[in-house]
Amino acid sequence: MRLITASSIHDGQKWMPSGTTLAVTDEGIITDILDTPTEHTIRYDGVLCPGFVNVHCHLELSHMKGVAAEGTGLIPFLKNIPQYRNNYTTEQKQEARHTAFENMLQNGVVAVGDIANTDDTKDLRTLGKMHFQTFVEALGFADSGAERSMGYATATYASFAKQSINAKQLKQSIVPHAPYSVSRSLFRLINEHSPSGIISIHNQESEEENKYYYNKSGLVNDLLQSLKIDDSSFVPTGKRSLASYMPLLSPEHRLVLVHNTYSNLQDIEFAVQHSGNVHWCLCPNANLYIENRLPDIDMLVKAGVNLCVGTDSLASNHQLSIMAELATIKKYYPALSWETLLTWGTNNGAQALQLTDVVGSIATGRKPGILHITHIDSSKPAVKRIA
Ligand SMILES: [Zn+2]
């Protein structure tokens, strides 16, 4: 048992009163919270907070680190993915994802929302070192291929589900990749698969997505044509993408919208009207890598939506670190307080992944993983897990 305190302690939602002292067991369980330190208390300079929650990652793409050029825009980036993702041996992929996973642990992440197109990441889930919400991604834009796409996703889902029978920290659901890669029929099948499952989707990562929904024009249209994908069943809606696809998903699902780089106030109002269960996930370093642009975070904050943070994959990021994402947001939006930003990186992420009963808060009886952050206002804050 240790007693610990720090210059500042964040409980996942707010700063705790000065002098707050945590009693923590060797296993990391918080057994008591005291108002003042005792003579046996260890004092840390800097910040203590709960472990980070990375709401959006693709650990299975870790071998693609540095492959894609920066600043090309989303559509040229996507063209590169199929070309490169299978250009590696099983061993190379395995080594890369284990290295990335260990780095993510060292960066203080305790829970992850991880996109999967294959069941490659089963080996990481069984290590028991992190809470996993695996999002098995379904893809297919030809309406006629919906059953086949869903069949493949369901088989992958079953492979993950087998692991989670006796492991509380492992969950999974089937989710759509993006509005321009999933047909209406496939949206319906995904929606019906698990009525209470969490759904995550890459949302408005490029303005081209909105253009395509308006009138079937722009680079998304060019991409689908060049890949010879049958888009004959797609009828442009004359609306923005979010207003077009969201009605296909039941508001019973917790919905995690990822990126939102080109979302506007109209989109937020539509989402709020459609469902009270929407979480907006920011991946700023990936947005800068791919589109060299950030979402309008001031607008999202003013609208009062739930914000959380993800890293995306090493194909579009230099590291898998929530601290690095928060530091980027702070750099571009200096008026946002660390109290708010740490909430996004911890408790809000736990809410998005329905994990608030296990991670994301400092409270008696919890085992959230406790992080020690130093030099928080520098360009590279340091994070160390101390419990
Ligand atoms: Zn992604």
Side-chain angles (χ1 to χ4, degrees):
M1 172 77 75
R2 279 178 295 163
L3 290 170
I4 55 176
T5 189
S7 321
S8 314
I9 303 181
H10 192 281
D11 71 358
Q13 290 176 297
K14 61 183 185 314
W15 294 119
M16 301 180 89
S18 174
T20 298
T21 298
L22 313 176
V24 185
T25 67
D26 292 345
E27 293 78 39
I29 299 166
I30 300 168
T31 54
D32 203 1
I33 298 176
L34 314 173
D35 292 339
T36 48
T38 69
E39 58 178 308
H40 302 295
T41 300
I42 304 161
R43 187 187 162 84
Y44 290 90
D45 280 332
V47 173
L48 297 185
C49 72
F52 289 132
V53 180
N54 182 356
V55 178
H56 182 75
C57 190
H58 303 243
L59 279 161
E60 70 178 12
L61 297 181
S62 297
H63 56 282
M64 293 181 62
K65 187 176 184 183
V67 165
E70 297 189 42
T72 60
L74 180 66
I75 307 304
F77 173 83
L78 288 175
K79 277 185 179 165
N80 276 332
I81 297 273
Q83 185 186 341
Y84 290 119
R85 75 173 288 161
N86 297 321
N87 239 349
Y88 297 81
T89 64
T90 304
E91 291 73 27
Q92 283 172 321
K93 289 187 202 174
Q94 187 183 2
E95 193 187 333
R97 75 175 167 269
H98 279 265
T99 304
F101 180 70
E102 286 302 323
N103 286 341
M104 195 153 86
L105 279 171
Q106 279 165 19
N107 292 330
V109 173
V110 295
V112 65
D114 192 41
I115 301 283
N117 296 108
T118 68
D119 65 0
D120 287 357
T121 48
K122 277 167 74 178
D123 55 359
L124 302 178
R125 289 172 32 122
T126 52
L127 296 173
K129 294 180 176 179
M130 200 178 283
H131 298 274
F132 268 82
Q133 164 69 46
T134 298
F135 293 121
V136 178
E137 204 167 65
L139 272 148
F141 203 60
D143 236 19
S144 56
E147 297 278 349
R148 203 182 53 214
S149 297
M150 193 61 188
Y152 179 75
T154 308
T156 311
Y157 171 89
S159 178
F160 284 117
K162 249 188 238 166
Q163 287 187 309
S164 63
I165 292 170
N166 295 314
K168 244 178 94 182
Q169 78 276 23
L170 302 177
K171 304 190 295 169
Q172 51 284 318
S173 55
I174 297 182
V175 304
H177 165 253
Y180 52 83
S181 59
V182 171
S183 66
R184 288 176 78 84
S185 301
L186 185 53
F187 261 115
R188 276 192 206 100
L189 294 173
I190 294 166
N191 184 54
E192 288 160 8
H193 179 260
S194 164
S196 60
I198 309 174
I199 287 193
S200 122
I201 183 167
H202 294 88
N203 178 59
Q204 296 174 311
E205 193 177 355
S206 160
E207 184 57 24
E208 300 301 322
E209 179 181 315
N210 288 323
K211 275 191 209 164
Y212 187 68
Y213 268 89
Y214 268 130
N215 57 14
K216 211 171 179 175
S217 70
L219 292 178
V220 167
N221 191 44
D222 298 351
L223 175 72
L224 296 175
Q225 300 307 317
S226 75
L227 296 172
K228 298 200 167 37
I229 287 171
D230 172 16
D231 65 349
S232 54
S233 58
F234 177 79
V235 180
T237 59
K239 297 179 192 165
R240 295 174 62 77
S241 83
L242 186 137
S244 306
Y245 76 78
M246 210 185 242
L248 303 173
L249 299 169
S250 154
E252 275 174 49
H253 293 286
R254 177 151 305 193
L255 182 61
V256 181
L257 301 175
V258 181
H259 291 302
N260 316 304
T261 331
Y262 292 83
S263 300
N264 67 16
L265 202 54
Q266 204 185 327
D267 297 317
I268 297 173
E269 284 166 0
F270 187 91
V272 168
Q273 270 177 13
H274 179 73
S275 164
N277 209 352
V278 181
H279 296 256
W280 301 73
C281 177
L282 306 171
C283 303
N285 286 333
N287 300 150
L288 291 173
Y289 192 113
I290 296 176
E291 291 269 338
N292 198 22
R293 171 183 164 127
L294 290 177
D296 188 342
I297 297 179
D298 270 343
M299 175 193 70
L300 290 159
V301 171
K302 280 195 193 110
V305 300
N306 300 313
L307 287 162
C308 54
V309 185
T311 59
D312 218 343
S313 75
L314 283 178
S316 60
N317 207 334
H318 300 286
Q319 68 279 305
L320 304 179
S321 162
I322 293 302
M323 189 70 245
E325 302 298 324
L326 297 179
T328 295
I329 299 173
K330 183 73 176 166
K331 180 178 162 191
Y332 288 89
Y333 293 90
L336 287 170
S337 68
W338 279 113
E339 186 170 43
T340 296
L341 294 173
L342 290 174
T343 301
W344 297 357
T346 59
N347 198 267
N348 282 13
Q351 281 182 36
L353 300 184
Q354 290 182 322
L355 284 170
T356 46
D357 55 340
V358 273
V359 296
S361 57
I362 287 187
T364 306
R366 294 287 168 82
K367 189 185 170 185
I370 299 175
L371 309 181
H372 176 214
I373 304 170
T374 48
H375 311 292
I376 198 164
D377 275 313
S378 70
S379 61
K380 278 211 166 144
V383 177
K384 195 173 177 204
R385 187 161 166 187
I386 58 159

